[in-house]
Amino acid sequence: EDQVTQSPEALRLQEGESSSLNCSYTVSGLRGLFWYRQDPGKGPEFLFTLYSAGEEKEKERLKATLTKKESFLHITAPKPEDSATYLCAVDSGGYQKVTFGTGTKLQVIP
Amino acid sequence: ETGVTQTPRHLVMGMTNKKSLKCEQHLGHNAMYWYKQSAKKPLELMFVYNFKEQTENNSVPSRFSPECPNSSHLFLHLHTLQPEDSALYLCASSLNSGSADTQYFGPGTRLTVL
């Protein structure tokens, strides 16, 4: 059974304090790993898709990386508007079977 | 983001009511999904439709009944729900199912069952 574990569950940062969120996964065969951002009461907003180990993608202060066992979402010099829950999901094949983690709730304090 | 819209945004219903959730996507996608999101739990896939055909029913109770009249519209009909069904119901779409296409989500319907 596919498993996705995100850590930490919650993270509190001072504005400008860089850090990383972790997504560890166990799947039979990875076809894609997705990162989403979710604000309270809203649907997840797509950030990145990574397909193979060694791949990296960047968007503003966010950078996502992928290895054979885990993915990191690096946040450089975060701002209060980066506060949200960040979700990781993996697609392991089958007929669109995507497994989500429980998310990391990030709070950035001014 | 108006790619995937959902109505209503909030719904309160009694256990004996019948209501429907609506989802519409404007992205030209062929696959649509219903998810349930409860506090402290990962998103739970409920139903998948590809080209209007249901391809996945993740052991969802029969009090939830999906309908997909075309590739742009998806409904979730609700009847005789239980309080534990209270959650955020999310609709998503992707280019196709069966491949690692990115899913794009709507804003969700916050459902409260009294």
Side-chain angles (χ1 to χ4, degrees):
Chain A
E1 184 178 332
D2 298 342
Q3 288 191 327
V4 177
T5 303
Q6 291 189 246
S7 61
E9 187 174 319
L11 181 62
R12 196 175 184 196
L13 299 173
Q14 291 290 329
E15 184 172 1
E17 180 186 0
S18 301
S19 189
S20 298
L21 313 183
N22 177 264
C23 173
S24 298
Y25 61 89
T26 305
V27 297
S28 52
L30 182 70
R31 298 198 306 172
L33 184 141
F34 310 93
W35 281 100
Y36 290 87
R37 168 196 169 124
Q38 186 173 23
D39 293 300
K42 297 187 177 181
E45 174 189 344
F46 170 69
L47 294 174
F48 304 108
T49 304
L50 302 169
Y51 293 103
S52 57
E55 189 174 359
E56 299 183 353
K57 288 192 177 175
E58 288 188 65
K59 179 181 179 180
E60 297 180 353
R61 295 177 293 281
L62 301 177
K63 179 180 177 180
T65 62
L66 181 64
T67 72
K68 289 186 178 180
K69 295 182 180 180
E70 58 192 349
S71 176
F72 291 95
L73 185 65
H74 306 278
I75 303 177
T76 302
K79 297 182 178 181
E81 53 262 41
D82 294 322
S83 298
T85 296
Y86 290 85
L87 300 174
C88 170
V90 296
D91 182 336
S92 61
Y95 217 61
Q96 193 63 40
K97 179 169 170 53
V98 175
T99 304
F100 279 83
T102 52
T104 293
K105 185 174 182 179
L106 173 66
Q107 183 182 14
V108 182
I109 303 166
Chain B
E1 174 59 52
T2 58
V4 181
T5 59
Q6 290 186 243
T7 55
R9 293 295 311 278
H10 301 272
L11 178 62
V12 179
M13 59 187 290
M15 293 170 61
T16 58
N17 291 156
K18 290 184 180 181
K19 297 286 184 182
S20 295
L21 310 184
K22 179 183 176 182
C23 175
E24 183 174 0
Q25 60 96 359
H26 309 273
L27 300 171
H29 290 165
N30 300 308
M32 297 187 77
Y33 313 80
W34 280 117
Y35 284 89
K36 176 183 179 181
Q37 187 175 34
S38 305
K40 304 289 186 182
K41 288 186 175 182
L43 270 72
E44 300 172 51
L45 179 65
M46 300 175 71
F47 302 104
V48 181
Y49 278 83
N50 196 41
F51 290 98
K52 303 189 298 179
E53 298 297 320
Q54 187 180 130
T55 58
E56 184 94 14
N57 176 338
N58 234 14
S59 303
V60 179
S62 59
R63 57 186 182 269
F64 295 92
S65 175
E67 178 189 0
C68 188
N70 55 60
S71 293
S72 298
H73 294 85
L74 185 64
F75 296 88
L76 187 62
H77 304 299
L78 316 171
H79 64 99
T80 59
L81 295 190
Q82 305 297 311
E84 59 264 29
D85 296 322
S86 298
L88 183 67
Y89 288 85
L90 293 163
C91 173
S93 72
S94 67
L95 186 58
N96 292 293
S97 65
S99 60
D101 290 329
T102 301
Q103 295 183 24
Y104 294 88
F105 287 82
T109 295
R110 171 66 64 185
L111 174 66
T112 302
V113 181
L114 302 176

